[in-house]
């Protein structure tokens, strides 16, 4: 197996094993993660290479490493590779492999973060070191091993964007979510590249009634009853489908029969999404404002009728949808209850998307074409978030890029993100490392 790998692929796999074993679990608390372990691994990895290394640590142990290769032409376009080193927690008992053992078996590397996104982070580091050692680029190349991505970047990319936005260039960025294949209905191929992601518009809905003793409930309205009615009304929400070009291009890439394509583009038939098979939920998510009821709270004592109850909503917006749009949708759904329900804004971030008419996107298309000649590249958006949104907020462009073998479909790869027994193919790591090397060299002129 090892003999079949490229040198850059083998180096990437060796580094990936170390990063997985560091076990930088981020449980959303400030003291978790401890990405300093992977920062130290990467510092050793770059030891002796002609690079500039800077550490950033907004909180003890939450370390981001910035590695730069200075370009020879100050006017050449720079490129930044945004990798993250934290991973989501695991339920160890549910895994059939040690989640932090990085075991290589059956052509796969098993472990938390192999897909999201330590495999790509390792490839970014390997490509950066190789180019630093062997060719001075025209444009400056920066590799950033970011902390805290899994908690929305408050101690990572978000902190950097707010407090040290000039530490490196955000103008052209590459990160996760790209390179898998679509199961096109006629058997042909298509490769997806993320050009954007949905926004966050989290809300807490609260109702108030008169509290009372649980022994005398007659004609006493309960906040539990009222919030239950709120939940029923919100659950019945049916936001309209997107009519944006990104959704149209995604649908057309599957080459459905004309009736199915029309139904999906019109957005009038939810059953039409079944045509996507395992990708149905994802397809529905990237074509709609989505509202998920996730947390409910009311009462503390069993003998007290509560006077306050709340419902929290995980709402994800499409590009162009504002906080005001979200509140209008909620009030419409609440109907005659709207005036008695308080709507509180929690985390709110707009959706972001980068154009496809850029030099970096064209470089991505050309690179995919090298490895999969004649295969179209389909731009799409992520249903969740990534650090690329900070680049877009600062005026840059950002795309998700890696590359998988032909049989690795978008649905299969998505199913591994944050999942039990997360794993990645050894040959997929090798392919990603080689493709990323070509992309970087093409774009910065190495």
């Amino acid at each position: 197996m090892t003999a079949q790998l490229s040198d850059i692929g083998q180096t990437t796999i060796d580094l990936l094993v170390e990063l997985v074993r560091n076990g930088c679990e981020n449980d959303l608390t400030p003291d978790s993660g401890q990405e300093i372990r992977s920062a130290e691994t990467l510092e050793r990895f770059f030891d002796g290479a002609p690079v500039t290394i800077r550490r950033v640590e907004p909180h003890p142990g939450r370390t981001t490493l910035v590695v730069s290769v200075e370009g020879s032409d100050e006017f050449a376009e720079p490129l930044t590779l945004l990798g993250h080193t934290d991973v989501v927690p695991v339920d160890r008992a549910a895994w059939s492999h040690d989640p932090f053992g990085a075991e290589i078996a059956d052509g796969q590397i098993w472990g938390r973060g192999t897909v999201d996104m330590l495999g790509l982070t390792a490839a970014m580091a390997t490509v950066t070191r190789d180019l630093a050692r062997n060719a001075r680029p025209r444009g400056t190349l920066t590799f950033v091993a970011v902390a805290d991505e899994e908690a929305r970047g408050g101690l990572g990319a978000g902190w950097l964007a707010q407090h040290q936005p000039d530490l490196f260039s955000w103008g052209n960025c590459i990160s996760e979510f790209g390179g898998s294949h679509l199961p096109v209905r006629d058997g042909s191929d298509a490769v997806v590249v993320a050009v954007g992601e949905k926004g966050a518009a989290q809300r807490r809905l609260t109702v108030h009634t008169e509290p009372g003793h649980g022994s005398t409930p007659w004609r006493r309205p309960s906040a539990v009853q009222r919030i239950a009615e709120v939940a029923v009304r919100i659950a019945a929400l049916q936001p309209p489908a997107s009519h944006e070009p990104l959704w149209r291009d995604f649908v057309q890439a599957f080459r459905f029969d004309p009736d199915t394509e029309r139904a999906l583009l019109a957005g009038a038939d939810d059953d039409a999404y079944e045509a996507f098979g395992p990708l149905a939920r994802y397809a529905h998510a990237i074509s709609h404002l989505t509202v998920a009821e996730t947390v409910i709270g009311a009462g503390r004592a069993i003998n007290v009728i509560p006077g306050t109850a709340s419902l929290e909503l995980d709402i994800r917006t499409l590009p162009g949808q504002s906080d005001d749009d979200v509140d209008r949708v909620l009030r419409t759904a609440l109907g005659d209850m709207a005036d008695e329900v308080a709507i509180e804004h929690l985390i709110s971030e707009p959706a972001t998307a980068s154009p496809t008419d850029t030099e970096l996107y064209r470089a991505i298309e050309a690179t995919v074409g090298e490895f999969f000649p004649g295969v179209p590249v389909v731009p799409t958006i992520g249903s969740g978030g990534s650090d690329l949104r900070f680049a877009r907020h600062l005026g840059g462009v950002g795309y998700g890029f890696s590359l998988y073998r032909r049989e690795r479909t978008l649905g299969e790869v998505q199913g591994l993100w944050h999942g039990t027994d997360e794993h990645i193919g050894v040959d997929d790591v090798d392919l990603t490392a080689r493709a990323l090397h070509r992309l970087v060299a093409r774009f910065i002129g190495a």
Side-chain angles (χ1 to χ4, degrees), residues 99-111:
F100 298 110
E103 177 186 354
I104 300 178
D106 303 320
Q108 310 291 321
I109 305 174
W110 300 80

Side-chain angles (χ1 to χ4, degrees), residues 208-291:
H208 298 281
T209 59
E210 183 182 354
H213 201 287
S215 66
T216 55
W218 183 69
R219 290 188 177 177
R220 188 188 301 277
S222 166
V224 172
Q225 177 188 5
R226 300 304 286 162
I227 205 66
E229 176 60 26
V230 168
V232 168
R233 295 190 183 195
I234 295 297
L237 257 174
Q238 292 186 319
S242 171
H243 295 286
E244 295 300 311
L246 278 175
W247 172 239
R248 182 198 63 219
D249 292 346
F250 185 78
V251 171
Q252 292 177 343
F254 281 82
R255 302 187 182 182
F256 293 123
D257 64 85
D259 289 342
T260 299
E261 182 176 301
R262 277 193 295 270
L264 289 166
L265 295 180
D269 181 7
D270 260 9
D271 291 338
Y273 285 87
E274 299 291 347
F276 288 105
L279 283 171
R281 283 196 176 95
Y282 168 75
H284 186 274
I286 65 169
S287 60
H288 289 79
L289 171 79
T290 56
V291 181

Side-chain angles (χ1 to χ4, degrees), residues 128-185:
T128 301
R129 190 180 74 171
D130 183 81
L131 288 174
R133 285 175 169 177
N134 296 298
R136 187 179 182 189
R138 288 185 62 245
T140 295
L141 174 64
T142 305
F143 161 60
V144 190
V146 184
D148 203 37
E149 190 274 346
E150 299 294 358
R152 299 194 66 83
L155 295 173
W159 191 93
L160 289 166
Q162 180 179 358
H163 298 282
Q164 296 190 31
D166 299 324
L167 187 61
F168 55 85
S169 173
W170 298 85
N172 301 289
C173 294
I174 292 290
S175 192
E176 57 193 334
F177 193 69
S180 55
H181 301 257
L182 295 182
V184 183
R185 286 298 177 261

Side-chain angles (χ1 to χ4, degrees), residues 11-53:
T11 302
T12 299
I13 289 165
D14 293 342
L15 179 57
L16 170 58
V17 167
E18 288 193 57
L19 294 177
V20 171
R21 290 176 179 171
N22 285 336
C24 299
E25 286 183 274
N26 186 349
D27 65 9
L28 312 189
T29 60
D31 292 328
S32 67
Q34 291 302 299
E35 297 90 344
I36 189 172
R37 295 192 288 269
S38 287
E40 290 173 346
T41 293
L42 290 164
E43 284 180 325
R44 291 191 297 271
F45 181 79
F46 282 100
D47 186 42
V51 298
T52 300
I53 298 179

